[in-house]
Amino acid sequence: MKYTCYVLMLAALMAVGCGSKKTVVGPGGTATVEENGDNKKTTINTADGNAVVEQNDKEGTAKVTATDASGKTTTFETSNKIDLAELGVDVYPGATLEEGQNAAAKVKTNEGEMVTAKLLTPDKPEKIEAFYKKLLKDATSFSNAESATVSGKTTGGDSVMVTASWNKDQSKTEIGILVTKKK
């Protein structure tokens, strides 16, 4: 893969100190890393396109924007904060967003968007399954003693997949919601 050398270069550059900027020029392009406190920005430019990685450790966010040579852009965002309304589907009553940097993510392309969130509830998976089977159009489900999966569509036609797995250690159900929105 053409970006392999840049991924390695990126890993080496991540050691850049606070308030600094470093650029490395390679045979296929450049990689620049800027760091200022909790904010880090890495920019990779090649003849095949470019990628920008922005990270804020304090806020728990990361964003990657990649643009190919034809101008097609893909954006990936991950965060420990999200407006749950962005999912476009009701959240199970009483469920809370899991804490941590990977609690929510968004991927945007020219074709559409995927939004995902990890939630927690003290209720068992079968309750989550029943809620989403009732909520989603054309819902189908599969379940066993410790987990359930429901897929279907929102009233607007977006695809939804919900997984619910009992976590014995936390005595809670972990809910994963993935919504795919077409343009």
Side-chain angles (χ1 to χ4, degrees):
M1 181 178 226
K2 293 180 180 182
Y3 283 43
T4 303
C5 67
Y6 292 102
V7 171
L8 294 173
M9 197 181 323
L10 174 63
L13 288 172
M14 291 311 284
V16 171
C18 184
S20 62
K21 178 177 177 178
K22 183 169 183 173
T23 300
V24 175
V25 178
T30 62
T32 302
V33 176
E34 300 173 65
E35 188 170 342
N36 187 0
D38 292 322
N39 296 308
K40 296 176 186 133
K41 181 177 178 181
T42 303
T43 305
I44 300 170
N45 293 301
T46 72
D48 297 320
N50 65 60
V52 177
V53 180
E54 298 170 281
Q55 181 179 343
N56 182 301
D57 293 337
K58 185 175 183 179
E59 295 294 320
T61 60
K63 179 178 178 180
V64 178
T65 304
T67 306
D68 67 18
S70 71
K72 183 178 177 182
T73 299
T74 300
T75 303
F76 176 80
E77 297 177 56
T78 176
S79 176
N80 60 5
K81 298 174 186 167
I82 186 174
D83 177 359
L84 292 174
E86 289 184 61
L87 287 168
V89 66
D90 289 347
V91 172
Y92 182 77
T96 57
L97 191 63
E98 184 176 76
E99 293 188 22
Q101 186 167 345
N102 298 318
K106 290 188 282 187
V107 177
K108 295 179 186 178
T109 69
N110 292 337
E111 292 82 32
E113 175 179 61
M114 288 187 345
V115 182
T116 184
K118 294 191 308 189
L119 307 161
L120 295 173
T121 181
D123 293 342
K124 296 286 187 169
E126 57 266 14
K127 283 189 157 188
I128 291 90
E129 177 185 20
F131 176 82
Y132 284 102
K133 277 179 74 171
K134 191 180 233 182
L135 180 71
L136 299 174
K137 278 182 15 181
D138 304 323
T140 59
S141 69
F142 171 80
S143 61
N144 61 35
E146 307 245 339
S147 66
T149 300
V150 181
S151 60
K153 302 237 182 237
T154 64
T155 54
D158 296 332
S159 297
V160 179
M161 179 179 283
V162 178
T163 60
S165 301
W166 182 250
N167 182 320
K168 294 176 192 172
D169 296 335
Q170 292 184 358
S171 295
K172 292 184 179 182
T173 295
E174 298 173 343
I175 302 172
I177 301 176
L178 171 65
V179 181
T180 304
K181 305 174 182 187
K182 301 248 185 210
K183 282 190 176 177

